[in-house]
Amino acid sequence: MKNGFFIFSILMSLNNLSSIPAKQLKVKSISIDTILTEKISIRAILLDKYKLWYAADGNRFGNYNLKTGKKEERQIQIDSLPLQFRSIAKTKDYLFVVNIGNPAYIFKINKSNLSWEKVYTESHEKVFYDSMNFWNENEGIAIGDPTENCLSVLITRDGGENWEKIKCGDLPKISEGEAAFAASNTNICIKGNKTWIVSGGKKSRVFYSPDKGNSWEVFETPIVQGQSMTGIFTADFYNDRIGVIAGGNYEQPEQNHQNKAITSDGGKTWKLIAENQGFGYASCIQFVPHSNGKQIVAVGTSGLYYSADSGNTWKQFSEDRTLYTIRFLDNNTAFAAGKDKIIKITFKN
């Protein structure tokens, strides 16, 4: 009986130890491999199995195969217009890209053969779409600058075949000079059915929908605002409670106060972090996967920065000021893109 009790005690101890979360290892250094170099500007990327898809300037979209190292690229030519793509989203079989400027087009792209078709057109002197994402295989959203007294919000409920613009009467009104920035395709964050949209300019707020765009409410933020190039340029949510926003003053890129904030209540309230510390203007911010919302990476005109303590302190890992957007493959590997390049970043503990 004594031996049995002893073995039982050991098993219980091991069980208790296994229930304790593993300590998150801080990143100590990074290594960078450049996987694509050419004359190109890339602000929208996504990872899909073993392919990295990108949307770029010069009417271009394409992918880089992470297994073979080969690139596929196409140009979308329509009415001889120069198109610049800064948004990209996906379903299982299709990609979607939307260009900035007037007229605006959404293109549906077959992943298997890269053929494309135009599924939405909007002409307006103020039209300018900034970001897009999908909730599931059938339902997606794209957002852009206001053409009336609300942000432009497009919704699809049929897998991207058709897109409908939500009437301003069904959306929160914006303030004068409030818009959005097409910095890195991170104006929209989705967790389950919940959606967050960030704005900037003379007013910088968070628009929240609990039900895939059917209803909305708005939350104030302490991010710098009041001028046309100030506000939130990027956001990410680790789960439906923990989120981070960043940006700043594009015209004063070294300003590192009132440019980053965090929430623990789903975006209702925001707390400024690392005031007068860390990076200045940021175009993209992302949580490190499986980090309990503690580890964060940002890129922008200050370079690449990393935080291991929910954004309270930051360490610079790269001085490259030409990276616009970043996405994680896993908690040790990310890919970033920007001016004339795509790079692979390995985070080392």
Side-chain angles (χ1 to χ4, degrees):
M1 290 297 293
K2 288 183 179 179
N3 289 339
F5 179 76
F6 179 69
I7 294 171
F8 175 78
S9 298
I10 291 175
L11 291 174
M12 288 300 294
S13 298
L14 290 173
N15 182 63
N16 289 335
L17 284 173
S18 67
S19 66
I20 299 174
K23 183 179 180 181
Q24 296 298 317
L25 297 175
K26 294 182 181 180
V27 175
K28 295 179 180 178
S29 64
I30 65 170
S31 63
I32 294 176
D33 297 307
T34 302
I35 63 174
L36 183 148
T37 55
E38 62 178 82
K39 186 67 176 178
I40 195 168
S41 177
I42 302 174
R43 290 184 178 270
I45 61 175
L46 61 82
L47 289 159
D48 185 25
K49 296 180 181 178
Y50 57 90
K51 287 186 177 180
L52 183 150
W53 293 91
Y54 62 87
D57 63 348
N59 301 60
R60 291 172 286 181
F61 73 91
N63 71 73
Y64 178 86
N65 190 307
L66 303 178
K67 289 184 177 180
T68 66
K70 293 183 179 180
K71 183 191 76 168
E72 294 180 293
E73 188 175 276
R74 298 287 188 275
Q75 284 187 307
I76 295 178
Q77 300 291 351
I78 182 167
D79 298 330
S80 300
L81 292 173
L83 302 178
Q84 186 174 156
F85 300 121
R86 295 191 183 181
S87 303
I88 190 169
K90 70 177 177 70
T91 57
K92 180 182 177 182
D93 298 318
Y94 297 97
L95 292 170
F96 297 85
V97 297
V98 57
N99 64 292
I100 60 172
N102 178 34
Y105 301 108
I106 293 179
F107 297 97
K108 180 182 178 181
I109 301 162
N110 188 310
K111 288 183 188 178
S112 62
N113 59 20
L114 304 190
S115 62
W116 55 269
E117 61 175 314
K118 178 163 55 76
V119 292
Y120 180 80
T121 303
E122 182 178 347
S123 297
H124 192 285
E125 60 181 359
K126 295 181 179 180
V127 71
F128 194 104
Y129 280 93
D130 303 280
S131 187
M132 67 191 313
N133 207 333
F134 270 74
W135 291 288
N136 51 50
E137 284 295 296
N138 292 316
E139 297 170 294
I141 180 173
I143 67 102
D145 292 353
T147 57
E148 299 178 62
N149 63 346
C150 66
L151 290 174
S152 295
V153 179
L154 301 175
I155 300 286
T156 181
R157 306 288 185 190
D158 60 3
E161 284 295 324
N162 296 280
W163 295 78
E164 182 179 353
K165 190 168 186 178
I166 298 180
K167 297 177 181 179
C168 276
D170 296 325
L171 290 169
K173 291 184 178 180
I174 57 156
S175 298
E176 182 178 355
E178 184 176 16
F181 296 114
S184 58
N185 195 36
T186 50
N187 302 80
I188 304 171
C189 300
I190 287 175
K191 293 294 176 184
N193 294 338
K194 297 180 179 181
T195 311
W196 297 263
I197 294 172
V198 295
S199 68
K202 294 187 177 181
K203 193 74 173 175
S204 187
R205 301 185 291 175
V206 173
F207 296 72
Y208 168 69
S209 171
D211 51 12
K212 294 183 291 187
N214 288 300
S215 63
W216 296 88
E217 54 186 313
V218 191
F219 306 127
E220 301 291 330
T221 78
I223 295 292
V224 61
Q225 49 202 279
Q227 301 177 43
S228 60
M229 298 304 292
T230 59
I232 306 168
F233 284 74
T234 175
D236 191 27
F237 271 76
Y238 183 77
N239 53 34
D240 63 1
R241 296 177 295 100
I242 301 171
V244 63
I245 51 177
N249 188 334
Y250 185 81
E251 296 174 328
Q252 298 179 27
E254 300 304 318
Q255 179 180 317
N256 63 354
H257 61 273
Q258 289 183 274
N259 69 321
K260 43 198 174 298
I262 199 158
T263 183
S264 59
D265 60 8
K268 295 180 176 63
T269 60
W270 295 87
K271 177 186 176 183
L272 290 171
I273 49 177
E275 284 288 87
N276 300 299
Q277 300 178 47
F279 57 85
Y281 163 76
S283 62
C284 188
I285 196 162
Q286 293 284 285
F287 283 102
V288 178
H290 312 299
S291 67
N292 294 327
K294 300 292 186 183
Q295 299 182 51
I296 312 171
V297 171
V299 296
T301 53
S302 300
L304 186 152
Y305 275 76
Y306 163 82
S307 173
D309 57 5
S310 301
N312 290 300
T313 60
W314 294 85
K315 181 177 181 179
Q316 186 185 48
F317 277 138
S318 171
E319 296 182 358
D320 190 341
R321 298 171 176 264
T322 65
L323 298 174
Y324 303 145
T325 189
I326 184 170
R327 294 294 186 279
F328 278 87
L329 177 66
D330 54 47
N331 56 313
N332 295 116
T333 311
F335 292 86
K339 185 178 184 297
D340 302 334
K341 68 167 81 73
I342 299 175
I343 64 173
K344 176 185 177 182
I345 307 165
T346 302
F347 294 83
K348 301 178 179 180
N349 297 318

